[in-house]
């Protein structure tokens, strides 16, 4: 770049330099400093020739400005018109390469200066280049070093990981020639810990040296597989821990290659014993469940919400008689009894709606063999994770046995009930015909028989009576018909010889042809009949016959029932017979009783008439004797001598005695007839009254009477008791030896006799006493032991006492010894 | 009203079949010093004939209408009780004084007699002295004390 305001100067410099043989120049020229600064940026010259004096700058100023503006400035040579040392020095100091004075400049000098500057420039460039190369090399080195460091750190980490991971890691060599696994060259800490082998001990050893032979063999087998396939393998291996427990490891083994050949096997193993155990347990549990499902004694099934069988067990197959495959292709609806289906589906609807969580019902399945079977079904619903119905668990229990039992119980009950009904009906009926009709009606309610008939036999008169017959079609014979016993003889003989079953079967042809029945029955289509004997205590009272169109349809059950009915019927008929007999007896008895009663009534009437006659008719002549004797004494006394007087007196006294006799007899007879009202009577009152009545006699005989008071009360009748006591007391006064003062004691005592408390009143005397042999006689009417002259009396007194006590429900007795007095007593209830 | 009546105006009808008793009764009347006109019939039918004025009994002079009937119960033909029943059925006789005089002490006779309307029931005593006393009592009571009803309204 030529920076000079002088065209001339610039041409000079151009010329000078164009002569240079060594370099070729390109010129850029600027007249002002401003222009020069701009151009510099554009062309970047290698060297600048600067005039000191410029129109707008002095050279020094421009230099400073240029240096400030551009960093990598080039060599600069200053050219000036006047030489000045100071300026030159200032330029050099500020970086100018050289300083020339225009006047003294030559082409050589200029060329040299520029050549020097170019060479310098070249050197500078070379140095710069070398320096850059050095830096680059250095950076490379540094990078490489950093990588290396990182790699080392990585390795360290890996080693630590390998050492510390809770996984067993090991590596072993593979023998290049034998292709067999060899010595270990790596074991991590887990390995060492588990097997309690230090790294130093393990390294360099083979598996056989470290583990029991069978374990090592298993390892080797796996290793050889890997070696052969050159592929990683995952396998389970078992090994003993140091504590002696056998563990299962999930082992991952992979090969390390060198130039295509396996050199090592690296293994990584995880202890999966717990998982393995859990798995085993799960398996066992599953097995158990499966076994439970499969071998349960009840049918179990999983059923889809739509009814399709999903899983069924063997028992269910047995119950319904289908194979598993068959069942799984149908639904439960297919094999449910139509009558039970509705209920079941209703339950299903409810359980699906969430209304119920489970249900149980008894229902019937239709087996493959088309028989139906009663089962008890219990169903619950299993929902999936979305709470949507997944499947039903159904438990199916075969209850056919129970149902059969129930049915049989029901049947038995029904039978008993029927029998009971029949019993009741039989018992309600009294007449044999009514009984028979009832039974036939009931039988026809119980079973289908075309014809039923009950016949009774009269063995004495050799006849039989058809009590009742009823047929479905028409009544052939009238009830109550009497037929000869002969026609039944065949059946009777067979029944008597039959001892295996309680009936016989017979056919129409077995009846005598002549019999009316056979003829009548020939019109019907009935042929076979059953005959049941009506036995009562070994007597065949008759038979029950039942005709069936289809006798083979009769069940054993029905036959048993009919046998029972037959025996009931026999009992009832026998009872009816006995009842009638009893009734007849009763009627006879009643008639007899009525007859007797009438007789007794008649006798009673006669007796009444008799006593009336006595009281009236006997008294009348007495009155006459007495009256006329008195008339004689009074009206004709003067005409009678002493003897006549005595006769008259005797007539009067005899009449009086007779009167007494009659009065006593009437009293006695009255006692027998009248109704007596019983109540408690105070005996003290009675005794006192009796003493009063006999006062005259007592005074006459000077009798001494002692009452042992207090005297009790007795159940009786006042009047009658007074008569009794009066009689006893009067006897006691009367029957004493002549000239003896009567000593009489009267008292009562309580007698505890069995259940009742009784009162005994006794009258003791010092009288003549009674011989034991006579003691009974004195209680009979007219029995007298003494002559009338010695002890006058009617001989009825004690009989009256005895009869009275009988009427009062009491007793009368005497204890006596001749000469020692007597003790008469009466005994009655206290209350 | 007359307290003391003349025995002549107090006829008695004695219905008694036993002649012994008739004699004794007549004697008892005598002994008692009472002498009323006494008609005697010996059975029930006769008594009814007398009272209903049939046959000979039309003659009231010979057979006066009695003021008192001494009626035995035990009679031939109609019994005393039947006669009594008959008397009480007759309107003009129903106030007639009827004293039953019988030897029966049976309660049934007694009750029936009163039921049929007897005015009194007396038992014939066996002892004659007692008979006399009884007749005296009849006189004292029925003729001297008792007011006689006017039963014949004619």
């Amino acid at each position: 770049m030529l920076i000079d305001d002088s065209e001339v100067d610039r041409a000079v410099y151009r010329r000078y330099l164009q002569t240079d043989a060594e370099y070729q120049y390109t010129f850029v020229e600027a007249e002002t400093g401003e222009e020069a600064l701009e151009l510099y940026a554009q062309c970047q010259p290698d060297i600048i020739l600067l005039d000191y004096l410029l129109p707008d700058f002095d050279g020094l100023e421009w230099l400073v400005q240029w240096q400030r503006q551009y960093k990598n400035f080039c060599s600069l040579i200053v050219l000036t018109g006047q030489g000045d040392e100071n300026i030159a020095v200032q330029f050099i100091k500020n970086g100018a390469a050289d300083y020339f004075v225009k006047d003294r400049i030559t082409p050589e000098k200029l060329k040299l200066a520029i050549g020097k500057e170019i060479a310098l420039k070249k050197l500078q460039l070379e140095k710069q280049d070398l320096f850059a190369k050095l830096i680059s090399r250095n950076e490379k080195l540094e990078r490489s070093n950093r990588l290396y460091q990182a790699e080392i750190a990585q390795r360290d980490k890996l080693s630590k990981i390998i050492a510390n991971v809770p996984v067993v890691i090991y590596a072993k060599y593979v023998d290049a020639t034998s292709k067999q696994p060899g010595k270990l060259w790596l074991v991590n800490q887990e390995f060492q810990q588990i097997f309690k082998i230090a790294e130093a001990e393990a390294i360099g050893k083979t598996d056989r040296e470290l583990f029991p032979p069978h374990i090592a063999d298993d390892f080797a087998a796996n290793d050889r597989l890997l070696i052969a396939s050159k592929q990683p393998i995952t396998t389970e291996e078992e090994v003993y821990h140091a504590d002696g427990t056998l563990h299962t490891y999930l082992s991952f083994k992979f090969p390390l290659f060198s130039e295509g050949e396996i050199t090592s096997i690296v293994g990584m193993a995880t202890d999966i014993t717990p998982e393995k155990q859990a798995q085993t347990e799960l398996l066992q549990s599953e097995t158990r469940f499966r076994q439970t499902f499969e071998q349960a004694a009840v049918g179990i099934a999983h059923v889809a919400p739509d009814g399709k069988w999903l899983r069924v067990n063997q028992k269910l197959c047995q119950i319904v008689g289908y194979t598993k495959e068959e069942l799984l292709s149908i639904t439960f609806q297919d094999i449910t009894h139509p009558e039970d289906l509705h209920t079941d589906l209703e339950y299903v609807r409810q359980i699906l709606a969430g209304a119920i969580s489970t249900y149980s019902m008894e229902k019937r399945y239709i087996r493959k063999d088309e028989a139906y079977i009663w089962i008890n079904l219990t169903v619950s619903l299993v929902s999936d994770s979305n709470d949507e119905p997944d499947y039903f668990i159904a438990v199916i229990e075969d209850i056919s046995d129970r149902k059969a039992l129930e049915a049989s119980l029901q049947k038995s009950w029904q039978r008993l009930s029927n029998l009971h009904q029949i019993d009741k009906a039989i018992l309600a009926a009294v007449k044999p015909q009514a009984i028979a009709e009832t039974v036939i009606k009931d039988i026809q309610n119980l079973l289908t028989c075309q014809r039923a008939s009950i016949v009774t036999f009269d063995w004495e008169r050799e006849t039989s009576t058809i009590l009742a017959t009823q047929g479905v079609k028409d009544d052939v014979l009238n009830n109550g018909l009497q037929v000869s016993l002969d026609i039944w003889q065949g059946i009777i003989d067979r029944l008597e010889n039959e001892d295996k079953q309680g009936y016989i079967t017979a056919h129409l042809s077995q009846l005598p042809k002549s019999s009316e029945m056979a003829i009548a029955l020939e019109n019907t289509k009935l042929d076979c009949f059953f005959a049941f004997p009506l036995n009562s205590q070994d007597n065949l009272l008759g038979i029950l016959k039942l005709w069936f169109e289809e006798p083979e349809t009769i069940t054993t059950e029905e036959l048993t029932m009919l046998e029972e009915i037959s025996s009931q019927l026999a009992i009832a008929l026998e009872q009816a017979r006995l009842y009638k007999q009893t009734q007849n007896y009763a009627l006879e008895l009643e008639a007899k009783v009525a007859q007797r009663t009438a007789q007794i009534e008649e006798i009673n009437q006669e007796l009444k008439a008799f006593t009336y006659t006595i009281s009236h008719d006997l008294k009348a002549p007495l009155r006459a004797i007495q009256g006329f004797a008195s008339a004689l004494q009074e009206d004709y006394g003067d005409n009678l001598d002493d003897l006549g007087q005595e006769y008259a007196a005797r007539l009067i006294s005899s009449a009086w005695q007779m009167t007494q006799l009659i009065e006593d007899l009437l009293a006695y007879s009255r006692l027998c007839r009248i109704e007596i009202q019983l109540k408690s009577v105070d005996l003290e009152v009675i005794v006192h009254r009796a003493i009063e009545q006999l006062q005259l006699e007592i005074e006459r005989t000077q009798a001494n009477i002692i009452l042992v008071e207090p005297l009790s009360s007795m159940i009786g009748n006042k009047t009658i008791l007074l008569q009794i006591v009066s009689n006893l007391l009067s006897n006691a006064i009367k029957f004493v030896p002549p000239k003896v003062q009567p000593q009489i004691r009267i008292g009562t005592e309580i007698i505890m006799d069995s259940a009742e408390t009784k009162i005994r009143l006794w009258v003791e005397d010092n009288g003549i006493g009674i011989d034991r042999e006579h003691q009974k006689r004195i209680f009979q009417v007219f029995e007298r032991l003494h002559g009338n002259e010695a002890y006058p009396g009617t001989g009825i007194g004690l009989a009256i006492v005895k009869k009275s006590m009988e009427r009062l429900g009491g007793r009368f007795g005497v204890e006596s010894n001749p000469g020692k007095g007597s003790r008469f007593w009466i005994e009655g209830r206290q209350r | 009203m007359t307290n003391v009546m003349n025995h002549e105006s107090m006829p008695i009808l004695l219905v008694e079949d036993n002649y012994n008793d008739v004699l004794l009764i007549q004697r008892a009347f005598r002994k008692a010093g009472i002498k009323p006109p006494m008609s005697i019939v010996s059975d029930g039918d006769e008594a009814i004939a007398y009272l209903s004025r049939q046959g000979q009994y039309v003659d009231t002079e010979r057979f006066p209408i009695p003021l008192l009937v001494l009626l035995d119960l035990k009679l031939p033909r109609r019994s005393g009780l039947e006669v009594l029943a008959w008397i009480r059925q007759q309107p003009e006789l129903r106030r007639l004084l009827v004293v039953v005089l019988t030897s029966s002490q049976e309660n049934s006779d007694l009750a029936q007699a009163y039921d049929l309307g007897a005015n009194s029931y007396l038992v014939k005593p066996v002892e004659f002295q007692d008979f006399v006393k009884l007749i005296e009592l009849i006189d004292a009571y029925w003729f001297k004390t008792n007011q006689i009803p006017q039963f014949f309204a004619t």
Side-chain angles (χ1 to χ4, degrees):
Chain A
M1 175 180 278
L2 304 173
I3 305 168
D4 201 324
D5 58 336
S6 158
E7 181 72 47
V8 179
D9 288 349
R10 290 197 313 257
V12 170
Y13 305 147
R14 273 199 309 265
R15 205 177 60 234
Y16 286 176
L17 289 176
Q18 278 169 344
T19 60
D20 192 347
E22 203 175 338
Y23 299 107
Q24 255 200 305
Y25 300 94
T26 308
F27 300 98
V28 180
E29 295 170 26
E31 286 181 6
T32 65
E34 200 74 28
E35 191 183 356
L37 281 171
E38 278 174 30
L39 271 173
Y40 181 82
Q42 288 168 15
C43 57
Q44 300 245 327
D46 294 325
I47 196 155
I48 296 171
L49 294 178
L50 178 60
D51 180 21
Y52 180 69
L53 282 172
L54 290 173
D56 48 349
F57 283 95
D58 87 28
L60 205 56
E61 279 172 2
W62 191 87
L63 176 68
V64 172
Q65 182 71 27
W66 171 69
Q67 280 179 335
R68 196 183 297 150
Q69 202 163 343
Y70 304 99
K71 283 196 177 136
N72 47 351
F73 43 82
C74 62
S75 298
L76 185 139
I77 297 165
V78 182
L79 300 162
T80 185
Q82 59 272 62
D84 186 333
E85 283 292 317
N86 289 335
I87 291 169
V89 170
Q90 271 192 307
F91 272 110
I92 299 300
K93 269 188 185 172
N94 278 297
D98 213 345
Y99 182 88
F100 287 102
V101 180
K102 284 182 180 181
D103 296 353
R104 295 181 211 151
I105 202 162
T106 65
E108 283 74 29
K109 277 185 178 174
L110 188 61
K111 281 194 271 184
L112 191 68
I114 286 174
K116 191 183 82 185
E117 277 312 308
I118 287 171
L120 190 67
K121 183 86 178 177
K122 264 190 183 167
L123 268 174
Q124 252 180 349
L125 281 173
E126 271 173 26
K127 185 186 137 198
Q128 244 175 6
D129 191 41
L130 272 173
F131 201 71
K133 276 184 182 164
L134 190 68
I135 284 170
S136 156
R137 171 74 61 83
N138 207 13
E139 279 174 352
K140 263 187 194 168
L141 268 171
E142 264 180 24
R143 206 158 50 234
S144 155
N145 192 28
R146 265 203 310 278
L147 280 170
Y148 180 66
Q149 287 301 329
E151 201 164 328
I152 285 178
Q154 191 75 13
R155 268 205 188 184
D156 203 31
K157 274 186 201 160
L158 271 174
S159 298
K160 274 190 183 153
I161 287 168
I162 288 168
N164 290 311
V165 283
V167 171
V168 174
I169 297 175
Y170 56 86
K172 51 192 160 194
Y173 294 114
V174 174
D175 190 272
T177 49
S178 69
K179 301 286 182 196
Q180 293 293 327
K183 292 169 182 172
L184 286 163
W185 55 266
L186 181 143
V187 290
N188 73 346
Q189 273 180 23
E190 184 76 5
F191 185 103
Q192 298 162 39
Q193 251 170 29
I194 283 166
F195 302 115
K196 293 281 185 282
I197 302 171
E199 188 174 22
E201 284 175 56
I203 301 299
K205 300 267 175 58
T206 62
D207 289 340
R208 275 196 91 85
E209 290 171 301
L210 293 174
F211 302 109
H214 67 280
I215 299 285
D217 286 349
D218 286 348
F219 291 168
N222 288 332
D223 290 345
R224 278 195 290 276
L225 276 175
L226 181 144
I227 292 163
S229 68
K230 295 186 176 178
Q231 296 292 323
I233 59 165
T234 304
T235 178
E236 279 179 18
E237 287 177 337
E238 287 186 331
V239 68
Y240 290 99
H241 280 194
D243 61 10
T245 55
L246 184 67
H247 285 243
T248 306
Y249 279 81
L250 180 65
S251 181
F252 174 65
K253 294 184 174 182
F254 59 92
L256 293 181
F257 296 97
S258 176
E259 294 169 3
E261 292 298 322
I262 294 177
T263 55
S264 285
I265 294 171
V266 179
M268 297 164 77
T270 319
D271 189 355
I272 55 162
T273 311
E275 289 85 344
K276 196 75 185 165
Q277 223 155 15
Q279 201 184 8
T280 310
E281 276 165 19
L282 187 69
L283 198 70
Q284 280 173 347
S285 149
E286 233 174 48
T287 310
R288 274 198 301 271
F289 171 75
R290 194 178 305 282
Q291 281 171 348
T292 305
F293 187 89
E294 275 305 326
Q295 295 170 18
V298 292
I300 303 178
H302 291 173
V303 182
D306 66 1
K308 205 160 158 41
W309 300 100
L310 298 173
R311 282 167 288 278
V312 295
N313 72 348
Q314 195 49 43
K315 180 69 185 176
L316 178 60
C317 295
Q318 275 174 25
I319 290 172
V320 297
Y322 284 96
T323 65
K324 216 168 252 198
E325 290 67 33
E326 286 168 336
L327 260 188
L328 295 180
S329 65
I330 57 177
T331 64
F332 81 79
Q333 293 94 320
D334 293 334
I335 61 164
T336 295
H337 194 285
E339 284 172 26
D340 300 328
L341 188 56
H342 176 76
T343 314
D344 201 353
L345 290 177
E346 176 57 24
Y347 275 130
V348 168
R349 192 191 64 72
Q350 288 183 27
I351 205 169
L352 286 174
I356 52 172
S357 59
T358 174
Y359 70 87
S360 247
M361 67 178 288
E362 288 181 1
K363 67 168 195 176
R364 286 156 291 179
Y365 279 140
I366 302 166
R367 287 170 51 89
K368 196 185 180 186
D369 59 15
E370 291 184 343
Y372 70 78
I373 182 165
W374 273 102
I375 57 109
N376 185 59
L377 172 71
T378 304
V379 175
S380 53
L381 180 64
V382 176
S383 297
D384 62 16
S385 51
N386 295 327
D387 220 20
E388 289 292 320
D390 196 356
Y391 61 88
F392 295 113
I393 299 175
V395 177
I396 295 111
E397 192 186 349
D398 178 357
I399 54 166
S400 49
D401 286 353
R402 200 191 82 204
K403 278 284 171 186
L405 189 66
E406 272 177 14
S408 117
L409 275 177
Q410 176 75 21
K411 254 188 190 173
S412 304
W413 185 85
Q414 186 63 45
R415 203 180 83 203
L416 277 176
S417 162
N418 290 336
L419 285 174
H420 181 64
Q421 284 296 321
I422 291 177
D423 274 3
K424 274 205 323 204
I426 287 174
L427 286 176
V430 180
K431 289 186 177 172
Q433 192 155 329
I435 294 169
E437 281 166 7
T438 307
V439 168
I440 284 183
K441 209 175 88 206
D442 285 327
I443 288 175
Q444 287 184 330
N445 284 340
L446 290 179
L447 47 90
T448 315
C449 79
Q450 278 64 41
R451 192 176 170 71
S453 178
I454 293 171
V455 182
T456 51
F457 302 150
D458 186 333
W459 295 94
E460 277 178 26
R461 284 186 284 172
E462 295 193 344
T463 58
S464 67
T465 307
I466 297 169
L467 281 184
T469 301
Q470 204 172 4
V472 169
K473 287 168 184 167
D474 52 347
D475 281 345
V476 187
L477 291 168
N478 293 326
N479 293 345
L481 189 84
Q482 297 239 334
V483 291
S484 163
L485 195 56
D486 298 342
I487 62 164
W488 308 111
Q489 201 53 53
I491 293 171
I492 291 167
D493 289 345
R494 283 187 55 201
L495 279 173
E496 279 172 353
N497 292 326
E498 177 63 62
D499 42 52
K500 279 184 203 146
Q501 54 192 22
Y503 59 90
I504 58 158
T505 54
H507 293 273
L508 189 59
S509 55
Q510 290 167 323
L511 284 171
K513 277 283 167 200
S514 58
S515 87
E516 276 183 75
M517 242 160 316
I519 296 161
L521 285 167
E522 263 171 10
N523 297 329
T524 70
K525 283 182 180 173
L526 296 170
D527 179 48
C528 181
F529 68 87
F530 287 72
F532 294 85
L534 306 178
N535 278 319
S536 173
Q537 293 170 339
D538 290 340
N539 289 327
L540 186 61
L541 301 181
I543 48 170
L544 163 69
K545 280 188 302 155
L546 297 167
W547 299 77
F548 294 101
E549 255 173 8
E550 293 171 339
E552 63 278 359
T553 60
I554 308 302
T555 64
T556 322
E557 184 81 14
E558 284 167 337
L559 284 170
T560 310
M561 198 174 65
L562 287 168
E563 282 179 47
E564 283 165 18
I565 290 173
S566 300
S567 52
Q568 290 296 328
L569 177 58
I571 290 168
L573 289 174
E574 179 68 5
Q575 267 181 345
R577 195 180 64 77
L578 289 173
Y579 179 73
K580 198 169 178 201
Q581 210 173 48
T582 312
Q583 243 187 352
N584 287 343
Y585 285 150
L587 283 173
E588 267 175 48
L589 270 177
E590 261 176 54
K592 271 185 190 166
V593 167
Q595 200 184 341
R596 284 283 160 81
T597 309
Q599 280 173 359
I600 288 168
E601 191 66 28
E602 204 179 322
I603 289 167
N604 217 14
Q605 283 299 326
E606 279 170 12
L607 193 66
K608 264 189 191 171
F610 175 67
T611 52
Y612 188 89
T613 306
I614 287 175
S615 70
H616 196 275
D617 294 358
L618 288 190
K619 270 186 192 172
L622 273 177
R623 229 179 1 259
I625 293 165
Q626 227 268 340
F628 292 123
S630 296
L632 268 181
Q633 274 186 325
E634 287 170 18
D635 297 355
Y636 305 98
D638 297 346
N639 300 342
L640 288 174
D641 59 9
D642 287 352
L643 194 61
Q645 290 285 352
E646 199 195 325
Y647 290 164
R650 279 197 178 268
L651 273 174
I652 291 169
S653 110
S654 292
W656 180 84
Q657 207 182 328
M658 183 75 177
T659 307
Q660 283 301 305
L661 190 63
I662 290 169
E663 291 298 336
D664 280 356
L665 265 179
L666 285 175
Y668 183 81
S669 128
R670 213 178 286 126
L671 268 178
C672 302
R673 286 180 287 132
I674 54 164
E675 300 257 332
I676 299 166
Q677 292 207 329
L678 297 180
K679 52 175 118 178
S680 184
V681 177
D682 186 351
L683 291 173
E684 195 151 338
V685 173
I686 297 296
V687 169
H688 279 290
R689 186 125 357 127
I691 290 170
E692 268 171 42
Q693 277 188 357
L694 295 168
Q695 199 55 46
L696 278 172
E697 282 297 293
I698 292 165
E699 279 170 13
R700 194 177 58 79
T701 57
Q702 299 290 302
N704 181 24
I705 299 173
I706 298 163
L707 298 188
V708 186
E709 291 178 303
L711 299 177
S712 309
S713 293
M714 182 194 278
I715 295 295
N717 175 285
K718 236 182 200 175
T719 315
I720 293 173
L721 280 171
L722 177 60
Q723 191 171 20
I724 289 168
V725 174
S726 181
N727 278 3
L728 292 178
L729 189 56
S730 124
N731 277 357
I733 293 165
K734 187 161 54 172
F735 291 101
V736 283
K739 293 172 186 166
V740 172
Q741 187 197 13
Q743 299 289 338
I744 299 165
R745 290 174 77 240
I746 301 175
T748 56
E749 60 193 38
I750 295 172
I751 307 250
M752 303 297 287
D753 177 25
S754 63
E756 281 180 316
T757 307
K758 304 216 161 147
I759 297 297
R760 180 178 280 197
L761 174 109
W762 43 263
V763 178
E764 261 178 21
D765 62 43
N766 59 337
I768 52 176
I770 309 156
D771 262 334
R772 186 162 294 275
E773 55 184 301
H774 295 139
Q775 282 176 9
K776 284 207 169 159
R777 290 175 56 204
I778 58 167
F779 299 144
Q780 287 167 15
V781 181
F782 297 128
E783 280 293 341
R784 304 193 77 242
L785 297 178
H786 308 284
N788 209 24
E789 296 298 322
Y791 298 104
T794 59
I796 301 176
L798 292 179
I800 288 177
V801 172
K802 183 167 181 278
K803 177 60 76 178
S804 297
M805 284 317 294
E806 279 171 12
R807 292 303 311 271
L808 297 181
R811 297 199 298 154
F812 169 48
V814 65
E815 295 146 18
S816 181
N817 282 313
K820 292 185 179 169
S822 305
R823 180 189 170 101
F824 285 92
W825 53 263
I826 57 168
E827 199 178 272
R829 287 185 289 124
Q830 186 181 34
R831 60 176 67 87
Chain B
M1 187 195 284
T2 37
N3 275 339
V4 180
M5 289 175 77
N6 186 347
H7 285 132
E8 295 297 324
S9 61
M10 295 185 291
I12 289 174
L13 175 62
L14 176 63
V15 187
E16 175 61 68
D17 66 320
N18 188 328
Y19 194 63
N20 281 339
D21 277 350
V22 172
L23 286 178
L24 287 172
I25 288 166
Q26 284 177 327
R27 184 167 178 258
F29 268 96
R30 273 201 314 274
K31 283 278 172 184
I34 307 158
K35 290 168 191 165
M38 187 180 286
S39 303
I40 297 160
V41 290
S42 59
D43 66 54
D45 286 353
E46 279 290 308
I48 288 168
Y50 186 102
L51 288 171
S52 56
R53 306 271 141 217
Q54 288 171 5
Q56 57 171 331
Y57 300 115
V58 174
D59 182 356
T60 47
E61 285 295 316
R62 276 177 63 205
F63 306 103
I65 297 161
L67 211 61
L68 182 99
V69 178
L70 284 175
L71 181 64
D72 189 14
L73 293 183
K74 178 85 175 57
L75 292 169
R77 306 197 184 170
R78 273 190 237 202
S79 76
L81 289 172
E82 281 173 300
V83 172
L84 178 58
W86 179 86
I87 289 170
R88 291 304 177 224
Q89 282 167 4
Q90 312 308 310
E92 66 275 23
L93 293 178
R94 61 173 192 267
R95 291 180 202 150
L96 181 61
L97 296 176
V98 178
V99 173
V100 172
L101 184 64
T102 176
S103 51
S104 169
Q105 275 178 289
E106 293 299 305
N107 284 334
S108 60
D109 281 343
L110 199 135
Q112 264 190 299
Y114 275 114
D115 286 349
L116 290 170
N119 297 86
S120 187
Y121 190 100
L122 302 172
V123 176
K124 290 172 186 166
V126 175
E127 287 210 45
F128 183 71
Q129 287 310 318
D130 295 337
F131 222 138
V132 176
K133 278 180 200 159
L134 185 76
I135 297 300
E136 283 169 355
L137 281 173
I138 289 172
D139 176 53
Y141 183 79
W142 290 110
F143 295 130
K144 298 208 170 94
T145 314
N146 192 48
Q147 296 295 317
I148 311 293
Q150 293 296 314
F151 54 88
F152 287 126
T154 52

